[in-house]
Amino acid sequence: MIAIGCDHGGYALKQEIMAHLDKRGLEYKDFGCYSEESVDYPIYGKAVADAIISGECERGILICGTGIGISVTANKIKGIRAALCTDCFCAEATRTHNDANILALGARVTGPGLAIKILDTFLDTEFSNDPRHVRRLEMMHAIEMEQ
Ligand code: RB5
């Protein structure tokens, strides 16, 4: 199950992404927002992050105007690795290297055609399990646990 959330800046792109997930037959849960009325992105960043940490969803997609505020929020939650991607190279690398569990997109930065290619790359790429990347993930986890 994929968790998806956005603020008003990401609402239109979220509609396109959900239509694409429907076409691919992938299940998702929409954590809002549900219109273009101005809202506060931390609400939706936290809701999607919580759904991943609880095990309800395996991966998440977060969208705001830039992708920054909503990904910064999600990264406050222990265990979340939210990656803001503006190209397919980063989407692939953040899965193989960082085992990112949330893809963040900026709807005012990345057009819908590219956003969907980035999304497909993110969803279709597995973590490499390379020992050096596993070691770095463990180091990130240790830093989190010190907080
Ligand atoms: C909302 O206007 C905008 O600040 C938000 O979508 C996002 O870009 C914040 O990082």
Side-chain angles (χ1 to χ4, degrees):
M1 178 73 77
I2 296 166
I4 186 163
C6 68
D7 74 353
H8 52 287
Y11 177 77
L13 179 57
K14 187 180 72 175
Q15 301 310 112
E16 299 213 27
I17 284 182
M18 291 192 301
H20 181 70
L21 294 173
D22 285 335
K23 241 190 268 169
R24 283 194 54 171
L26 296 173
E27 280 195 324
Y28 57 86
K29 181 167 174 184
D30 181 8
F31 286 85
C33 65
Y34 303 109
S35 77
E36 289 189 323
E37 195 181 316
S38 182
V39 291
D40 299 321
Y41 56 78
I43 295 169
Y44 308 96
K46 182 177 185 314
V48 165
D50 285 346
I52 289 165
I53 297 308
S54 72
E56 182 184 4
C57 297
E58 293 87 48
R59 298 227 194 140
I61 305 163
L62 284 172
I63 314 156
C64 67
T66 58
I68 297 170
I70 208 157
S71 59
V72 169
T73 303
N75 279 319
K76 301 283 179 204
I77 311 288
K78 281 191 169 78
I80 291 300
R81 293 175 302 281
L84 170 57
C85 295
T86 52
D87 58 64
C88 294
F89 178 83
C90 288
E92 185 180 339
T94 201
R95 289 290 309 127
T96 56
H97 292 208
N98 316 126
D99 196 17
N101 47 17
I102 293 181
L103 169 67
L105 293 163
R108 295 175 184 154
V109 181
T110 305
L114 177 57
I116 283 167
K117 283 203 177 301
I118 292 170
L119 170 68
D120 282 341
T121 304
F122 181 83
L123 294 177
D124 297 339
T125 306
E126 291 304 318
F127 178 52
S128 66
N129 267 304
D130 184 306
R132 73 185 194 283
H133 296 313
V134 171
R135 182 178 69 247
R136 289 162 190 163
L137 288 180
E138 286 168 356
M139 290 169 72
M140 276 200 272
H141 181 65
I143 291 167
E144 260 180 354
M145 290 302 123
E146 283 168 11
Q147 303 305 302

